[in-house]
Amino acid sequence: MATEITTIDYTVPAEVYARYGADFDTEAVNDAVLAELNAIVPEGVSVQRNGRVFAQEHAESVARELDWKQLLDRIDLDQILASHGR
């Protein structure tokens, strides 16, 4: 059974889209960010689409100490945006 650890906001804010001055499939962008995030979190930790973070018992202490901003900063948002323009 997984334990809820925290809730994070991984979605790309409107200001970022405005900086690029282009139209993007925002849902696809957020889904791609979520997929990348789930690929880099430790095994036993997962982030749901609503931002809720869960950890299996063996990963709870690690999940509680994760630096979510640092993890999100590792994601290549430029590449994701380039892949999801309209």
Side-chain angles (χ1 to χ4, degrees), residues 1-11 33-34 37-57 59-69 71-72:
M1 181 169 192
T3 301
E4 185 171 353
I5 303 299
T6 190
T7 301
I8 63 163
D9 184 6
Y10 66 87
T11 58
V33 170
L34 178 61
L37 184 58
N38 275 311
I40 61 176
V41 295
E43 185 177 332
V45 179
S46 64
V47 182
Q48 295 184 341
R49 198 160 202 254
N50 61 5
R52 293 170 65 189
V53 177
F54 288 87
Q56 297 297 318
E57 185 176 343
E60 284 181 30
S61 62
V62 172
R64 291 183 195 286
E65 295 187 19
L66 287 173
D67 182 338
W68 292 102
K69 182 182 179 335
L71 289 174
L72 289 166

Side-chain angles (χ1 to χ4, degrees), residues 10-24:
Y10 66 87
T11 58
V12 178
E15 305 84 57
V16 172
Y17 297 116
R19 261 189 306 207
Y20 284 87
D23 190 22
F24 296 95

